[in-house]
Amino acid sequence: MTLTRPSDQDIVVVGATGDLAARKLLPALYNLEVEGLLPEHGDVIGVAPMDWSDERFRNHAEEAIRGFSRTRFEARRFAAFAARLRFVPVGPDGDLRPLRAAAGRPERLLYLAVPSSAFTALAQSLGAAGLAAGTKLVIEKPFGHDVTSATRLNAVLHEVLPEDRIYRIDHYLGKETVQNLLVFRFGNSVFERVWNRDAIARVEITVAESLGVEHRGAFYEETGAIRDIVQNHMFQLLAVTAMEPPISFAAEAIRNEKVKVLEALHPVEPGAVVRGQYASGSVDGEAVPGYRDEEGVAAGSEVETFAAMRLHIDSWRWAGVPFLLRTGKRLAVRDTRVVLSFRDAPLHLFRAVGLHALDSNRLVIRVQPDEGISITFVAKRPGPEVTTQPVEMDFSYEGSFKASTPEAYERLLHDALSGDHTLFIREDEVERGWQVVQPVLDRPSPVKMYPAGSWGPAAADRIARPGRWHDGPSGEPRTSFRQRS
Ligand code: BG6
């Protein structure tokens, strides 16, 4: 499918002076300009409660693009982009009326790149400013704080805009590897035949980060790993991994199947969740402080920076197959992967020579970094004796495709500009995600400490039993073979 220019419209970024705009949105819009994928006519209007001129905003955008764009900054290309840039200061109350005169085109994409506490007031202000007609609204995560607040936020948004004008963003769906999971599953018949409880013993999803909370301590105190990563990014990875084949590649067909997976997920048992928090330690050889010593974090904080949980999906395809989820900050490495472990061979012919295979066939989808897919199986080591060894067949993006992959935000912004909802979260999807985690939000177990640079608290190993987590580059495979005498 070749991408085309979206129809004429303005792009309004509310929160244009913030971190997300600088790191992701402005570089993504610049790259869309470079690719010829912005509307032919349309301004990019920054909005924030700052007394900035257009000029100041252009300088800010230039700095952001120089610092964070995946393609090199080019003055000629930036000049074309800068000609679109304008800035509209608003009051601290977020009253959007000043935008009315500036966003002159009948259609616009309005991106709320602000803390979620501001969503309700801004949505209402959009209606009060008479700007709802012609607006497509992109709204960042976390969408609400729990089931009640997410349901309330949906109701507020629907007072102003219909569902088909709302784009709830989860940037994981914009990642190439996540989209490729759909192609991998439904474009190849060989895998889909074994993609079920008959062949698969367990599924692990890991989102490991080596970074800490950085300068976002105050935000994180209100959020924690379950709200920040599990309820959205991890549930999207799980839904795409576990969904049934859609009847077509149309947005609603895909979203219907994802919702069915979430509906079939049992709400999590608080006893089947381990919450952790990083203490001081060392990452990449550098000493780093513990979470409680980060700026903006309470001294006795009980907020989790790590969560591991065991989930079950009540469906014909997945009944009895545990889905093990694990995420954390300040872990040993940055590594996001989905690992499907296949059932053991029914008969161990090689037991007689002292070997017993355990979890020997695995399919590993490396979401990031080192994007790719590998299959692990057992091979005979060359030589007169019968000894076996796990080996890998590997596909890597870098090796197979030379072009640099677009950033998730580029794809998602272009889709929203074009009115394509496929990679955005529907109202029922987001509410169901909250319902699944609500029991642990209501009854959280105490956090267990882990040293920064480790793989989380030892208690998390209990979630993975029988067997152990597959830890990625540094520890893979941790338990794939057991020697028997
Ligand atoms: C964001 C979370 O949604 O995703 C951050 O708020 C997290 O805490 C980030 O670091 C991870 O995104 P990525 O694309 O680097 O995996």
Side-chain angles (χ1 to χ4, degrees), residues 24 140-141 171-172 175 207 209 211-212 216 219-220 228-229 232-233 329 334 336 368 409:
K24 301 288 183 188
E140 264 294 334
K141 60 163 272 283
H171 78 278
Y172 266 55
K175 289 185 190 278
V207 176
E209 296 186 274
L211 287 178
R216 299 197 309 159
F219 158 81
Y220 211 79
D228 188 38
I229 302 276
N232 31 69
H233 301 331
K329 294 212 180 275
R334 174 169 185 252
T336 295
Q368 66 185 24
Y409 278 93

Side-chain angles (χ1 to χ4, degrees), residues 122-134:
L122 283 166
Q124 286 166 338
S125 167
L126 181 72
L131 283 164

Side-chain angles (χ1 to χ4, degrees), residues 45-369:
I45 304 168
V47 172
M50 316 278 261
D51 197 15
W52 281 17
S53 63
D54 291 350
E55 201 45 40
R56 171 115 196 244
F57 183 49
R58 284 185 192 128
N59 292 340
H60 175 75
E62 177 174 338
E63 207 176 300
I65 292 159
R66 282 184 186 278
F68 299 111
S69 166
R70 79 180 159 89
T71 63
R72 221 162 31 89
F73 178 89
E74 282 185 50
R76 184 177 50 87
R77 295 196 143 135
F78 179 71
F81 182 60
R84 297 176 184 265
L85 292 174
R86 299 165 58 195
F87 191 80
V88 174
V90 291
D93 52 356
D95 181 351
L96 291 177
R97 270 175 303 181
L99 189 59
R100 215 165 32 201
R105 292 191 172 74
E107 297 282 320
R108 73 200 63 84
L109 185 80
L110 192 134
Y111 199 121
L112 293 187
V114 293
S116 55
S117 54
F119 290 165
T120 298
L122 283 166
Q124 286 166 338
S125 167
L126 181 72
L131 283 164
T135 290
K136 296 190 292 266
L137 183 74
V138 183
I139 188 159
E140 264 294 334
K141 60 163 272 283
F143 189 92
H145 199 68
D146 53 14
V147 180
T148 314
S149 56
T151 313
R152 206 181 306 130
L153 181 55
N154 272 331
V156 168
L157 293 180
H158 287 148
E159 278 170 21
V160 182
L161 291 168
E163 179 66 18
D164 67 0
R165 295 231 147 212
I166 301 171
Y167 296 77
R168 295 175 197 79
I169 203 163
D170 182 316
H171 78 278
Y172 266 55
L173 284 178
K175 289 185 190 278
E176 279 292 333
T177 32
V178 178
Q179 290 166 53
N180 186 46
L181 189 46
L182 289 171
V183 176
F184 180 75
R185 285 194 55 197
F186 304 125
N188 299 294
S189 65
V190 62
F191 303 112
E192 192 51 24
R193 282 165 215 274
V194 291
W195 210 268
N196 55 49
R197 65 191 305 275
D198 296 334
I200 293 173
R202 57 198 252 155
V203 179
E204 285 169 44
I205 303 177
T206 294
V207 176
E209 296 186 274
S210 52
L211 287 178
V213 294
E214 309 298 291
H215 52 278
R216 299 197 309 159
F219 158 81
Y220 211 79
E221 280 286 273
E222 299 291 311
T223 316
I226 294 174
R227 290 186 170 94
D228 188 38
I229 302 276
V230 176
Q231 187 273 345
N232 31 69
H233 301 331
M234 296 197 87
F235 281 4
Q236 286 304 317
L237 287 174
L238 180 145
V240 173
T241 304
M243 69 192 260
E244 294 299 317
I247 53 166
S248 75
F249 241 54
E252 289 321 309
I254 293 178
R255 301 205 295 180
N256 287 342
E257 296 308 332
K258 285 200 295 150
V259 172
K260 281 191 212 159
V261 173
L262 297 176
E263 277 171 358
L265 262 185
H266 291 208
V268 62
E269 289 281 331
V273 179
V274 169
R275 297 188 326 122
Q277 189 187 82
Y278 64 83
S280 60
S282 132
V283 175
D284 288 336
E286 232 181 79
V288 295
Y291 176 69
R292 291 179 185 176
D293 294 322
E294 303 273 17
E295 190 193 319
V297 173
S301 173
E302 279 285 308
V303 169
E304 80 283 350
T305 60
F306 174 98
M309 60 186 68
R310 174 177 280 256
L311 293 170
H312 291 279
I313 301 176
D314 256 346
S315 70
W316 275 50
R317 187 185 284 265
W318 295 115
V321 178
F323 278 70
L324 311 174
L325 270 52
R326 177 178 61 156
T327 184
K329 294 212 180 275
R330 285 287 188 228
L331 295 186
V333 289
R334 174 169 185 252
D335 183 43
T336 295
R337 57 176 54 205
V338 179
V339 180
L340 295 99
S341 295
F342 289 88
R343 294 195 185 282
D344 233 349
L347 191 64
H348 288 298
L349 295 179
F350 302 106
R351 195 174 273 172
V353 290
L355 285 166
H356 173 79
L358 179 76
D359 162 24
S360 46
N361 293 145
R362 256 172 295 121
L363 193 143
V364 179
I365 296 147
R366 301 190 303 274
V367 176
Q368 66 185 24

